[in-house]
């Protein structure tokens, strides 16, 4: 289906009103983007961040009356100096575009992450066949890659793990394929739990090999390894819970952390003796052993 997009350059103060007005005049979706190279890498807890200069894009079906929509927007926002720009959006099969860009990834000596629709480049390797669906985690992001690389280096035979913030299930499933006995997956997003179940089945794993739970339903257990690839703020808040579930001499692997946040996160886990920090781009992975 062909589409038109309406682009409006906005300030932080204008953005919410413009977003609401676009939905009122029939936009199928509204996207807000940075309009001045001002990165916001991690919001504060409970905060919905916006950029000082925000580009707002409303998506409309191609048969929309652009003049009528423009006039209605101007009438709804008489106090806002609006510069409206209509563009035709190229008609593509966006799902196929994304599928073409997701290629197999080597994550160490043994482990490959492979799109479920492609043949593994090394059939004899440990190949995790993945379709992330709507959940986070393909191995392409530095935080996920760093965790997968660490798992590839571990001896996981018969280990029990928690994958907290499991997303697509990629870390927990990798651990199972590398020899772990069981992984408990935990995520706040029901879509992530569904994606994890489907990806586990796609890799020939039994349903009870990686049971998944919302945090409120997750069992309080004691495991050999705790994996948590989320964000620095939640990692600090969750430190008592995550620490309590790692047995004596157990391992911790944390990511989703900017290099500038590493010390603050490590200080929230005093029970662990941390390894040297591993870094990829601006992101880091923290690993350590429970010593007290």
């Amino acid at each position: 289906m062909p589409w038109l997009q309406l682009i409006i350059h906005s300030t932080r103060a204008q953005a919410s009103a413009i977003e609401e007005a676009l939905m009122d005049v029939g936009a199928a979706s509204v996207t807000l983007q940075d309009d001045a190279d001002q990165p916001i890498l991690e919001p504060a807890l409970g905060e919905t961040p916006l950029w000082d200069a925000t580009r707002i894009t409303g998506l409309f079906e191609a048969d929309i009356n652009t003049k009528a929509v423009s006039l209605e927007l101007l009438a709804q926002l008489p106090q806002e100096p609006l510069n409206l720009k209509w563009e035709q959006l190229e008609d593509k099969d966006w799902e196929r575009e994304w599928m073409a860009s997701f290629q197999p990834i080597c994550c160490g000596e043994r482990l490959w992450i492979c799109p479920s629709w492609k043949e593994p480049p090394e059939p004899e390797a440990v190949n995790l066949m993945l379709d992330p669906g709507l959940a986070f985690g393909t191995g392409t992001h530095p935080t996920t890659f760093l965790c997968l690389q660490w798992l590839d280096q571990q001896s996981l035979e018969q280990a029990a793990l928690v994958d907290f913030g499991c997303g697509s299930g990629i870390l927990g499933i990798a651990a199972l394929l590398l020899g772990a006995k069981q992984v408990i997956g935990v995520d706040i997003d029901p879509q992530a739990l569904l994606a994890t179940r489907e990806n586990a089945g796609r890799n020939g794993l039994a349903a009870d090999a990686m049971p998944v739970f919302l945090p409120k339903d997750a069992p309080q257990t004691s495991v050999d390894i705790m994996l948590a690839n989320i964000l620095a703020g939640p990692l600090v808040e969750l430190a008592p819970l995550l620490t309590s579930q790692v047995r004596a001499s157990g391992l911790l692997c944390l990511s989703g952390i900017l290099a500038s946040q590493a010390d603050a996160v490590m200080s929230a886990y005093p029970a662990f003796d941390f390894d040297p920090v591993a870094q990829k781009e601006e992101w880091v992975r923290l690993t350590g052993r429970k010593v007290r």
Side-chain angles (χ1 to χ4, degrees):
M1 176 189 295
W3 297 89
L4 292 176
Q5 58 182 12
L6 175 58
I7 299 170
I8 304 173
H9 300 280
S10 165
T11 65
R12 183 200 302 262
Q14 295 173 308
S16 294
I18 295 173
E19 179 184 13
E20 185 175 340
L22 282 167
M23 296 303 295
D24 285 345
V25 299
S29 68
V30 179
T31 305
L32 281 69
Q33 297 171 283
D34 177 23
D35 206 20
D37 195 23
Q38 179 193 0
I40 300 175
L41 293 170
E42 183 182 346
L45 292 173
E47 178 187 14
T48 302
L50 286 176
W51 303 270
D52 293 332
T54 302
R55 171 186 165 122
I56 305 176
T57 304
L59 188 66
F60 294 85
E61 293 185 6
D63 59 357
I64 195 81
N65 185 328
T66 57
K67 184 176 180 179
V69 169
S70 298
L71 290 173
E72 189 171 348
L73 278 172
L74 294 169
Q76 284 200 32
L77 301 164
Q79 306 303 318
E80 312 289 357
L82 298 182
N83 180 13
L84 309 180
K85 181 181 179 182
W86 288 94
E87 292 181 351
Q88 184 167 3
L89 191 63
E90 185 178 356
D91 191 15
K92 290 184 177 181
D93 186 334
W94 295 104
E95 182 177 3
R96 290 188 178 276
E97 288 274 316
W98 176 81
M99 290 173 67
S101 69
F102 181 19
Q103 299 297 321
I105 305 163
C106 181
C107 299
E109 296 182 2
R110 300 176 288 168
L111 179 64
W112 282 79
I113 307 302
C114 301
S116 60
W117 53 89
K118 289 184 178 290
E119 289 295 321
E122 293 190 16
E124 301 306 314
V126 177
N127 289 297
L128 192 165
M129 308 306 293
L130 185 72
D131 184 348
L134 297 180
F136 175 83
T138 62
T140 57
H141 193 277
T143 61
T144 311
F145 180 84
L146 285 166
C147 292
L148 291 166
Q149 197 174 50
W150 182 80
L151 284 170
D152 181 78
Q153 298 166 356
Q154 305 309 305
S155 176
L156 299 177
E157 294 300 323
Q158 298 302 302
L161 298 86
V162 167
D163 181 0
F164 201 100
C166 57
S168 66
I170 185 171
L171 298 183
I173 294 169
L176 289 166
L177 295 177
L178 290 165
K181 181 179 181 180
Q182 187 181 55
V183 177
I184 294 172
V186 182
D187 205 288
I188 62 173
D189 183 358
Q191 179 64 43
L193 305 185
L194 176 62
T196 294
R197 290 191 194 99
E198 291 180 347
N199 282 318
R202 185 173 285 112
N203 285 275
L205 299 173
D208 60 356
M210 190 172 178
V212 293
F213 304 91
L214 295 170
K216 64 182 180 64
D217 301 322
Q220 301 303 301
T221 186
S222 179
V223 295
D224 302 297
I225 300 174
M226 172 65 68
L227 305 169
N229 178 22
I230 42 180
L231 289 171
L235 286 173
V236 170
E237 285 197 355
L238 291 165
L241 173 66
L242 301 188
T243 297
S244 70
Q245 294 190 27
V246 181
R247 59 180 53 128
S249 299
L251 301 178
L252 180 72
C253 178
L254 308 176
S255 199
I257 306 160
L258 297 169
S260 60
Q261 301 167 328
D263 289 341
V265 175
M266 285 190 288
S267 68
Y269 292 82
F272 292 86
D273 183 11
F274 281 93
D275 304 317
V277 174
Q279 183 166 349
K280 184 175 174 62
E281 300 171 15
E282 70 266 40
W283 301 95
V284 298
R285 179 196 70 215
L286 306 177
T287 56
R289 185 176 296 277
K290 194 172 187 180
V291 294
R292 50 186 171 282

